[in-house]
């Protein structure tokens, strides 16, 4: 009964409002806590824009910072950042389920049937199961990574027990939630040769970036005796993730082998290239100095950041599934197919329109931001501005090093980009999915010239 009353109360909000307000309130609460004098390691109180930027970056799982997390914030401030990351990460995965439940309550019969067919609508029991499953799985993965990292920090780097646990907990939560916050001034650069640190963090990033719908389906397929066909979400996410990881690793390795990777051993160079490919898909960790990357490497990184990871997870970007649908549209058009057919299934036109809406929204906002910031910040080159803008919108957190040098207005705009990049795709899809009005008439057909 309590769940029913809460559900009815939330139905007073549209799905877009539910997501937007939830994250906005969490950002504001984090900003207030980071403004407390106890959050600052120095004698001066934290500045408002610094607290706002950091809170937004933590809640949106970005990792961009205008100050050094390791030295600027006290242990209390670092705990606040970690809590914001954890709540933001779990919220990303569970809010998608709550939004689906709200949508199911607002839709008519046809809308509910359509939502069920798209696996958006769930019964009350399923919603509760998914929510608790999301939280339980997140904590379990983080615990395992914490144990591995704690042992590594204690044995190889001779941390005392509690500092080793703190290092393990912080990096495990930051990794699984694709946040990219670190406790070293140069992030993970000191551990570039250490597989015991790099690979567990990379694993957490990949698992968190797949998205809980994919992880849930994998679990159900392993536990079920009756094997159903793989969903297109699972197929697109897994295949797309592997392709992007391979392309990123090979591409970055080739471009940077004689540059940022030249002083590393062959194994460390390959590991660094792989970790960069993993991290660019919204994690924000870096094990090499990004300020010295070649322009071609920056462009490849821009591409990977823009696509991002899986839907319903902690990753950002336009999502692998969105890109996969648009690639499938391209292939179908080249073949001359009337319908969009993939793996024996037909993708409805409304899913194509949703994918195009998310992609175009991201493209327009990023392109407009790049042009505006280039005019207002002539001291930075176009590669730096483009990299910073895409990193903020895609909630990645990688930077060429210019973030602390940005003026106040640019920092505020990056806050807007991080917020829009985190809630934008969810709210756009929710708004489109909730629209069930259909015209009872048709208009004349006209085919404009294309190309």
């Amino acid at each position: 009964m309590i769940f029913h009353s809460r559900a009815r109360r939330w139905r007073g909000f549209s799905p877009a409002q539910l997501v937007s307000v939830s994250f906005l309130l969490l950002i504001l609460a984090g900003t207030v806590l980071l403004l407390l004098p106890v959050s600052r390691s120095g004698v001066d109180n934290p500045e408002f824009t610094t607290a706002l930027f950091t809170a937004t970056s933590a809640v949106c799982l970005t990792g961009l910072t205008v100050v050094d997390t390791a030295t600027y914030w006290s242990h209390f401030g670092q705990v606040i950042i970690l809590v914001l990351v954890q709540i933001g990460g779990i919220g990303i995965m569970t809010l998608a389920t709550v939004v689906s439940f709200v949508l199911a309550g607002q839709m008519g019969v046809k809308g509910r049937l359509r939502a069920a067919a798209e696996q958006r609508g769930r019964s009350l029991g399923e919603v509760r199961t998914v929510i608790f499953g999301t939280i339980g799985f997140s904590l379990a993965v983080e615990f395992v990574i914490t144990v591995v990292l704690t042992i590594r920090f204690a044995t190889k780097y001779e941390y005392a027990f509690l500092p080793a646990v703190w290092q393990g907990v912080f990096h495990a939560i930051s990794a699984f939630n694709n946040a990219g916050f670190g406790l070293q001034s140069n992030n993970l650069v000191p551990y570039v040769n250490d597989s015991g640190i790099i690979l567990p963090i990379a694993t957490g990033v990949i698992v968190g970036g797949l998205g809980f719908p994919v992880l849930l389906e994998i679990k159900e397929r392993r536990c079920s005796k009756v094997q159903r066909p793989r969903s297109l979400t699972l197929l697109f996410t897994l295949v797309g993730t592997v392709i992007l990881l391979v392309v990123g690793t090979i591409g970055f390795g080739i471009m940077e082998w004689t540059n940022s990777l030249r002083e590393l051993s062959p194994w460390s160079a390959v590991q660094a290239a792989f970790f960069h490919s993993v991290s660019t898909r919204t994690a924000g960790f870096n094990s090499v100095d990004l300020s010295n990357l070649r322009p071609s490497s920056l462009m490849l990184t821009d591409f990977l950041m823009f696509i991002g990871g899986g839907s319903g997870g902690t990753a950002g970007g336009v999502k692998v599934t969105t890109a996969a649908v648009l690639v499938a549209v391209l292939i179908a058009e080249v073949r001359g197919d009337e319908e969009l057919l993939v793996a024996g299934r037909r993708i409805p036109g409304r899913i194509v329109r949703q994918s195009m809406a998310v992609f175009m929204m991201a493209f327009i906002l990023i392109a407009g931001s790049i042009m505006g910031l280039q005019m207002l910040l002539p001291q930075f080159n176009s590669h730096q501005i483009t990299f910073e803008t895409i990193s903020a919108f895609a909630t990645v957190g990688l930077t060429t090093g210019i973030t602390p040098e940005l003026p106040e207005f640019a920092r505020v705009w990056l806050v807007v980009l991080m917020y829009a990049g985190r809630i934008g795709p969810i709210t756009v899809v929710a708004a489109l999915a909730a629209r069930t009005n259909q015209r009872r008439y048709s208009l004349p057909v006209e085919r404009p010239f294309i190309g």
Side-chain angles (χ1 to χ4, degrees), residues 52 93 176 264 276 296 324 385 411:
L52 175 64
M93 293 187 283
F176 179 77
L264 302 177
H276 182 78
S296 58
I385 294 295
R411 296 183 181 184

Side-chain angles (χ1 to χ4, degrees), residues 166-189:
W166 172 238
Q167 291 282 338
V169 169
F170 192 96
H171 288 96
I173 293 177
S174 185
F176 179 77
N177 291 288
N178 283 209
F181 284 93
L183 291 178
Q184 299 293 335
S185 299
N186 48 358
N187 207 264
L188 299 182
V189 174

Side-chain angles (χ1 to χ4, degrees), residues 209-211 214 231-244 281 309-311 320-321 324:
L210 287 176
V214 170
S231 70
L232 290 182
T233 298
L234 177 65
L235 180 64
F236 285 158
T237 303
L238 294 184
V239 174
T241 297
V242 171
I243 292 175
L244 292 175
R281 303 198 35 251
S311 299
V320 173
T321 47

Side-chain angles (χ1 to χ4, degrees), residues 75-279:
H75 285 300
F76 179 82
Q78 293 171 356
V79 169
I80 295 300
I81 292 173
L82 196 63
V83 171
L84 293 176
V85 167
Q86 184 71 87
I87 296 176
I90 292 178
I92 289 296
M93 293 187 283
T94 56
L95 265 181
T97 303
V98 175
V99 166
S100 299
F101 179 70
V102 173
L103 283 175
Q106 291 179 339
M107 290 180 181
V109 175
K110 291 183 179 180
R112 295 188 190 190
L113 291 175
R114 187 184 299 113
E118 297 171 4
Q119 296 183 347
R120 293 186 185 278
R122 291 182 179 270
S123 67
L124 178 59
E126 288 176 312
V127 170
R128 185 183 291 110
T129 299
V130 170
I131 290 177
F132 283 107
T134 301
I135 297 174
F137 182 82
S138 301
L139 297 179
V141 173
E142 291 169 354
F143 175 77
V144 172
I145 298 175
T146 295
V147 172
V148 174
L149 292 179
T150 298
I151 295 174
R152 190 65 174 179
F153 279 114
T155 56
K156 182 170 183 177
Y157 299 97
E158 299 182 350
Y159 279 84
F161 177 71
L162 290 181
V165 171
W166 172 238
Q167 291 282 338
V169 169
F170 192 96
H171 288 96
I173 293 177
S174 185
F176 179 77
N177 291 288
N178 283 209
F181 284 93
L183 291 178
Q184 299 293 335
S185 299
N186 48 358
N187 207 264
L188 299 182
V189 174
Y191 312 114
V192 64
N193 296 305
D194 190 354
S195 300
I197 299 293
I198 295 297
L199 295 184
I201 290 178
T203 301
V205 171
I206 294 173
V207 174
L210 287 176
F212 192 74
V214 170
L215 298 173
L216 179 62
E217 182 175 347
I218 293 175
K219 175 181 177 296
E220 290 177 345
R221 289 182 63 83
R222 294 191 62 180
C223 298
S224 176
K225 297 180 180 179
V226 179
Q227 291 298 318
R228 296 178 297 176
R230 295 181 180 86
S231 70
L232 290 182
T233 298
L234 177 65
L235 180 64
F236 285 158
T237 303
L238 294 184
V239 174
T241 297
V242 171
I243 292 175
L244 292 175
L245 286 177
V246 171
V247 170
T249 301
I250 296 176
F252 187 77
I254 293 174
M255 296 173 187
E256 293 296 322
W257 195 265
T258 57
N259 186 39
S260 62
L261 305 177
R262 68 179 183 276
E263 296 181 359
L264 302 177
S265 67
W267 165 250
S268 295
V270 172
Q271 178 177 268
F274 170 73
F275 187 76
H276 182 78
S277 181
V278 171
S279 188

